[in-house]
Amino acid sequence: MGLGALAAGFWLQGLRPSSNPVNGALLEAMLQNPPPVHRAAADSRDDLRGVEAERSRPQQGGFGLVEPERGTPLQLDIRVAVARDAASLEVSSTGPWWLRRADGRVLSQGAAGQPLTVSSGQLPAAEVSLETTPDAALSLDGRRYRGRLRLLQMPGGLLAVNHLPLEEYVASVVGAEMPSSWNREALKAQAVAARSYALAHMARPASRHWHLGSTTRWQAYRGLASTSGQTRQATTDTIGLILSYQGGIVESLYASTTALTLEAHGHLGASMSQHGAQELASRGMTYSQILARYYPGASLARLRSGGR
């Protein structure tokens, strides 16, 4: 299934530039080996250009969804709004950090743990990115994130968007939506549901700047705070898998209990009960059997890179 999206351009109004550099040997060392410059696509739907999926064939004589063969993992970045209409934001990193303009110019930089407070109306450009080294994490108001943070001046205040690999995002959502101590098959079912839901919103983004938010209005995302070895394993075990129906992406709705799924999503169709998934897993059901129970008629598809 092709998931390409056409680009739509937009413009950003420049604001007064400023800088807050670190001096001395630290500055020289950081300038010698800055992280790569990442430029955002003109439209958030462009992140899916060239993405396709290999769908599974119906299973013969069994109960459960067939998993497509593994291939080379597809690297996709998702954009998550982690702060909106903020009067000010405090950012930092566990490693050296760089604050860049959209064109890659370094506006400010600092050492590990050195905070920077950004206030609405005083952003050094209409759009800046906070980046760090691959092994470090960024911090926004005390919460740690992988990837990078884009800060944008909006009419209502500051917008912070976390750009990170889709699989890193899924590992965090699994831990935010389910206890990490739950059965591994339930966690795997949650990983597929979270990935499918995320991809549906990448194809139908909430904004040109971000795909979806970080609250339960979408699905809960808490950065590294909700990522664990168990959630990473569940994500790795199901890498690239989404739910598909008649060639499209299933916006895999779910809620805590069956009663809540009926109350919140009954008029919308299929929805997974998270406690129900845990109960089924405790009875020996696999993640694919759990998904087949809650999303009848769906199949599994694995993301891959198509022609560009």
Side-chain angles (χ1 to χ4, degrees):
M1 111 185 113
L3 302 175
L6 296 177
F10 65 94
W11 60 272
L12 292 170
Q13 179 183 1
L15 300 178
R16 181 174 58 87
S18 65
S19 61
N20 181 27
V22 177
N23 296 315
L26 175 62
L27 172 63
E28 294 179 4
M30 289 192 297
L31 287 177
Q32 289 174 2
N33 189 29
V37 178
H38 302 279
R39 293 184 177 85
D43 189 288
S44 62
R45 290 168 296 184
D46 233 16
D47 296 309
L48 281 180
R49 185 179 294 278
V51 177
E52 299 178 355
E54 182 69 28
R55 288 187 296 277
S56 60
R57 295 179 176 84
Q59 189 170 11
Q60 299 296 323
F63 173 67
L65 304 183
V66 179
E67 181 178 315
E69 292 184 5
R70 286 179 175 251
T72 303
L74 177 65
Q75 302 299 321
L76 279 178
D77 272 9
I78 190 167
R79 308 179 184 192
V80 188
V82 290
R84 298 170 62 192
D85 298 331
S88 66
L89 297 168
E90 183 178 280
V91 296
S92 184
S93 173
T94 60
W97 53 260
W98 294 260
L99 190 69
R100 297 181 184 271
R101 291 175 61 103
D103 61 7
R105 173 187 166 195
V106 175
L107 296 173
S108 184
Q109 53 196 74
Q114 181 180 0
L116 173 68
T117 299
V118 182
S119 299
S120 180
Q122 299 179 12
L123 205 64
E127 173 187 341
V128 297
S129 288
L130 185 74
E131 302 176 3
T132 187
T133 54
D135 59 340
L138 297 170
S139 173
L140 176 70
D141 288 343
R143 178 164 285 176
R144 295 183 299 136
Y145 299 96
R146 290 295 186 194
R148 63 190 177 100
L149 290 169
R150 281 175 68 217
L151 307 179
L152 300 98
Q153 181 64 60
M154 308 300 285
L158 293 173
L159 167 67
V161 181
N162 185 199
H163 289 232
L164 77 161
L166 176 61
E167 300 300 324
E168 288 274 357
Y169 167 78
V170 170
S172 175
V173 171
V174 172
E177 291 284 355
M178 271 188 178
S180 296
S181 59
W182 276 17
N183 189 287
R184 182 173 173 178
E185 295 301 313
L187 295 177
K188 288 162 66 175
Q190 178 65 70
V192 176
R195 188 183 296 106
S196 190
Y197 183 92
L199 202 74
H201 284 269
M202 291 178 73
R204 190 185 68 247
S207 161
R208 64 186 183 186
H209 300 304
W210 45 281
H211 297 125
L212 75 176
S214 59
T215 68
T216 53
R217 159 66 179 78
W218 287 271
Q219 52 187 3
Y221 169 63
R222 299 175 189 157
L224 288 174
S226 56
T227 304
S228 68
Q230 295 94 319
T231 67
R232 287 189 183 279
Q233 188 62 55
T235 302
T236 299
D237 289 345
T238 62
I239 189 167
L241 289 178
I242 63 168
L243 289 162
S244 177
Y245 180 72
Q246 294 184 351
I249 309 165
V250 174
E251 185 178 6
S252 41
L253 303 173
Y254 54 86
S256 177
T257 66
T258 299
L260 287 176
T261 64
L262 293 174
E263 178 183 344
H265 309 139
H267 62 296
L268 297 174
S271 178
M272 182 177 73
S273 162
Q274 293 163 307
H275 278 86
Q278 168 68 357
E279 174 63 23
L280 293 175
S282 69
R283 296 182 195 170
M285 279 196 180
T286 66
Y287 82 95
S288 67
Q289 292 173 326
I290 295 168
L291 293 172
R293 172 72 65 89
Y294 288 111
Y295 304 102
S299 61
L300 285 175
R302 195 182 297 276
L303 302 175
R304 62 180 174 82
S305 179
R308 291 183 180 267

